[in-house]
Amino acid sequence: QVQLVESGGGLVQAGGSLRLSCAASGLTFSSYTMGWFRQAPGKEREFVAGIRWSDSSTYYPDSVKGRFTISRDNAKNTVYLQMNSLKPEDTAVYYCATVSTQYSSYVPLMPRLYKYWGQGTQVTVSS
């Protein structure tokens, strides 16, 4: 079965950096567009980065653009999220996910359009 396992979360001071990893198994990773989301307590799950399967084009909301970088290593079946200049408002549980359809070039912003999810990793940014 499909498994996504996130790692790399932790506690960091404002202005610091973290690199999250998401290791995938049970699917042809290279043919799936991937996304990173986050969810803070009492808030909806929010899209923070996406990467297309075909050409590794990347997408970010304005809230993280210029600070976060998504990348993928298809040889390792892993997607990464490099987070720099972290702010207290970045505190959340971070999830990776695959879109529902193989070979889809569409990078959705809505969580309901993603099919497989990891268990999440906590990121806490102290002020």
Side-chain angles (χ1 to χ4, degrees), residues 3 14 17 22-23 41 48 51-52 58 60 70-73 77 79-81 95 97 100 114-115 117 120 122 125:
Q3 275 196 311
S17 299
C22 170
V48 295
I51 186 164
R52 188 178 291 163
T58 58
Y60 309 93
I70 186 172
S71 61
R72 64 191 301 159
D73 185 337
N77 286 359
V79 63
Y80 303 97
L81 185 67
Y95 301 89
S100 300
Y114 288 77
K115 183 173 183 179
W117 292 83
Q122 176 71 47
V125 185

Side-chain angles (χ1 to χ4, degrees), residues 30-95:
S30 60
S31 63
Y32 281 89
T33 290
M34 302 291 296
W36 281 97
F37 289 77
R38 68 185 180 190
Q39 188 165 21
K43 294 190 175 182
E44 293 187 350
R45 195 163 292 192
E46 173 191 21
F47 173 84
V48 295
I51 186 164
R52 188 178 291 163
W53 75 274
S54 54
D55 59 2
S56 294
S57 296
T58 58
Y59 301 85
Y60 309 93
D62 288 344
S63 58
V64 307
K65 195 174 292 182
R67 300 189 299 122
F68 289 12
T69 302
I70 186 172
S71 61
R72 64 191 301 159
D73 185 337
N74 289 334
K76 295 183 178 179
N77 286 359
T78 300
V79 63
Y80 303 97
L81 185 67
Q82 177 67 44
M83 304 185 295
N84 299 329
S85 303
L86 283 162
K87 305 175 181 180
E89 51 263 43
D90 294 319
T91 295
V93 178
Y94 283 70
Y95 301 89

